[in-house]
Amino acid sequence: MNSNDNKGLDYHKPDDTWNSLGCKNFNEYFQKYVVVGKFHDKVPKEIKKAYLVAEYIMAQAYYHYPIADEILVKLARVFELAIKMRCQSVEIDLEFIDRTGKKRKKTLAALIQQLNSQESNKNILRQLDHARELRNILMHPEKDQVFGFFVFNVLKQIVNLLNDIFLEDSYFLHQQQKLNEVKNLSAQFTTDRLTYEDTNKCIIQGASPLSVDQTKDGWIQLWVAHPVILGFKEIVESDKFIEPIYFILKEFNVKQDIIHGVQLNGKPIKIFKDDKIQNIQSYEKFIAEQEQSDKIKIDSYLSILNLNMSRKMVDYRYEHCWT
């Protein structure tokens, strides 16, 4: 037997890192960390095939944790290819003529700027620039570094961004108009004392739409409602966090000062105001505790809340907006 044969078996031994994180087998790892590509029909097949390679790298990271960095290296190349392919599809030249009359390739930054100018309704310039900066770090490393778990935190966001790149600019204009319509209809419900009702009831401090998106089955809406929390001051000052209520609607209307909606699972929801003494007292106590809480702690809590909502929007778009 070749002396290298036994060593080869190690390549199929799970990295102990994942076991320490609660992944007892490959299936558990796959469900938690492998982000399968989900794309709409207008994303080119070249991008889908290139992302599939990244999926295989994700799978191999189960056997060697540092391989996770190579996921980002591959996706940086996929991102650059996506920018160039989108530029070509909207007739943006990839080259320019310099002062000497020679053809030169445009930088990725220049292509992104031109794409943003031509498709300004997308409003994804900040995300594109962040992706470009990450790509520069990966392509031109100054020292050996391991990104580790950071990699898995951004994969769904990268899938969403690749999808956005190939959506038509007019879609984003229509999307914003739809969101504005829902916001206008629900304006009176954003900050007031209300009751949220699905299978249970709870008191909330307002509800508002976060996103409106078109899927193959029609338009859907992601909403957030902020529950009235008993003992709020203690929770905030002990650096704890209570996640808000998120729900996705496929139907929505306002009748007689009541929001009526139907969730994706077909279950109805209602949001309305009631004047029960107990609810009024609980709400007033909640507001008083907000005012009494340490301002720095409140600011920290709100920062966590905003981060939580951002992550929820990423998950929602990945799970529901692409096929």
Side-chain angles (χ1 to χ4, degrees), residues 147-161:
F147 286 91
F149 297 114
F150 167 77
V151 173
F152 298 95
N153 289 335
V154 300
L155 294 180
K156 289 181 181 179
Q157 192 167 355
I158 291 173
V159 172
N160 291 343
L161 182 58

Side-chain angles (χ1 to χ4, degrees), residues 205-217:
Q205 186 186 25
S208 57
L210 294 178
S211 187
V212 177
D213 300 86
Q214 189 173 28
T215 71
K216 61 183 178 63
D217 297 318

Side-chain angles (χ1 to χ4, degrees), residues 124-181:
I124 57 173
L125 178 61
R126 183 179 175 187
Q127 294 180 62
L128 295 177
D129 275 339
H130 285 171
R132 178 183 59 80
E133 289 166 3
L134 179 59
R135 173 253 185 206
N136 289 342
I137 292 171
L138 293 166
M139 296 298 105
H140 308 287
E142 295 183 359
K143 60 180 180 179
D144 187 31
Q145 55 187 338
V146 177
F147 286 91
F149 297 114
F150 167 77
V151 173
F152 298 95
N153 289 335
V154 300
L155 294 180
K156 289 181 181 179
Q157 192 167 355
I158 291 173
V159 172
N160 291 343
L161 182 58
L162 291 172
N163 277 286
D164 284 342
I165 288 171
F166 292 100
L167 283 173
E168 296 301 321
D169 190 52
S170 58
Y171 167 78
F172 291 87
L173 181 61
H174 191 195
Q175 179 193 43
Q176 189 59 51
Q177 291 170 343
K178 284 274 189 180
L179 179 59
N180 289 341
E181 288 174 11

Side-chain angles (χ1 to χ4, degrees), residues 68-306:
D69 281 14
E70 299 307 311
I71 302 168
L72 283 185
V73 172
K74 177 59 181 177
L75 290 179
R77 295 169 66 186
V78 177
F79 165 72
E80 183 170 357
L81 176 61
I83 291 295
K84 290 179 178 178
M85 292 188 73
R86 183 58 183 172
C87 284
Q88 290 175 315
S89 69
V90 296
E91 299 182 347
I92 294 174
D93 290 333
L94 302 184
E95 298 178 326
F96 71 100
I97 306 297
D98 69 10
R99 294 179 180 178
T100 66
K102 292 183 179 179
K103 277 189 176 182
R104 295 188 180 276
K105 292 181 179 179
K106 292 178 183 175
T107 65
L108 187 59
L111 292 174
I112 287 172
Q113 286 293 340
Q114 282 189 262
L115 199 55
N116 180 67
S117 297
Q118 192 156 320
E119 299 190 308
S120 58
N121 290 309
K122 287 188 175 182
N123 195 29
I124 57 173
L125 178 61
R126 183 179 175 187
Q127 294 180 62
L128 295 177
D129 275 339
H130 285 171
R132 178 183 59 80
E133 289 166 3
L134 179 59
R135 173 253 185 206
N136 289 342
I137 292 171
L138 293 166
M139 296 298 105
H140 308 287
E142 295 183 359
K143 60 180 180 179
D144 187 31
Q145 55 187 338
V146 177
F147 286 91
F149 297 114
F150 167 77
V151 173
F152 298 95
N153 289 335
V154 300
L155 294 180
K156 289 181 181 179
Q157 192 167 355
I158 291 173
V159 172
N160 291 343
L161 182 58
L162 291 172
N163 277 286
D164 284 342
I165 288 171
F166 292 100
L167 283 173
E168 296 301 321
D169 190 52
S170 58
Y171 167 78
F172 291 87
L173 181 61
H174 191 195
Q175 179 193 43
Q176 189 59 51
Q177 291 170 343
K178 284 274 189 180
L179 179 59
N180 289 341
E181 288 174 11
V182 177
K183 284 184 174 181
N184 290 336
L185 286 171
S186 61
Q188 62 179 306
F189 300 93
T190 55
T191 58
D192 207 353
R193 171 183 53 81
L194 301 164
T195 296
Y196 170 85
E197 178 182 330
D198 50 19
T199 53
N200 298 300
K201 287 184 179 180
C202 69
I203 314 167
I204 61 173
Q205 186 186 25
S208 57
L210 294 178
S211 187
V212 177
D213 300 86
Q214 189 173 28
T215 71
K216 61 183 178 63
D217 297 318
W219 288 88
I220 60 174
Q221 308 165 12
L222 174 65
W223 281 69
V224 62
H226 303 281
V228 169
I229 303 168
L230 300 178
F232 179 77
K233 185 174 185 291
E234 181 181 349
I235 288 171
V236 168
E237 296 187 356
S238 58
D239 297 320
K240 296 178 182 177
F241 177 74
I242 304 296
E243 185 169 273
I245 300 166
Y246 295 104
F247 53 98
I248 301 171
L249 300 181
K250 61 180 181 179
E251 296 178 21
F252 159 83
N253 63 71
V254 179
K255 292 181 180 178
Q256 298 178 339
D257 296 330
I258 300 175
I259 288 179
H260 296 269
V262 178
Q263 300 179 77
L264 285 184
N265 59 13
K267 293 181 179 180
I269 67 105
K270 287 197 301 184
I271 297 175
F272 55 93
K273 189 166 186 176
D274 68 45
D275 294 319
K276 291 182 179 179
I277 297 298
Q278 184 179 355
N279 289 348
I280 294 173
Q281 291 174 341
S282 295
Y283 184 78
E284 289 176 347
K285 183 178 180 182
F286 173 63
I287 296 300
E289 289 194 352
Q290 283 184 334
E291 295 172 350
Q292 294 164 9
S293 298
D294 181 87
K295 186 179 183 304
I296 294 177
K297 294 285 188 178
I298 286 286
D299 290 342
S300 176
Y301 188 91
L302 292 176
S303 294
I304 296 171
L305 174 61
N306 288 330

Side-chain angles (χ1 to χ4, degrees), residues 8-64:
L9 296 175
D10 292 338
Y11 297 144
H12 297 92
K13 178 184 176 183
D15 194 302
D16 291 338
T17 303
W18 304 116
N19 187 54
S20 66
L21 292 169
C23 296
K24 298 177 182 178
N25 53 56
F26 178 79
N27 186 56
E28 290 183 3
Y29 167 80
F30 180 88
Q31 294 298 324
K32 190 171 182 180
Y33 290 104
V34 176
V35 177
V36 175
K38 299 173 69 174
F39 301 102
H40 60 77
D41 293 340
K42 292 183 179 179
V43 176
K45 62 182 180 181
E46 292 88 346
I47 300 300
K48 296 175 182 178
K49 288 181 179 179
Y51 186 88
L52 182 60
V53 176
E55 283 184 38
Y56 274 89
I57 300 173
M58 293 176 211
Q60 289 304 308
Y62 178 66
Y63 302 102
H64 188 56

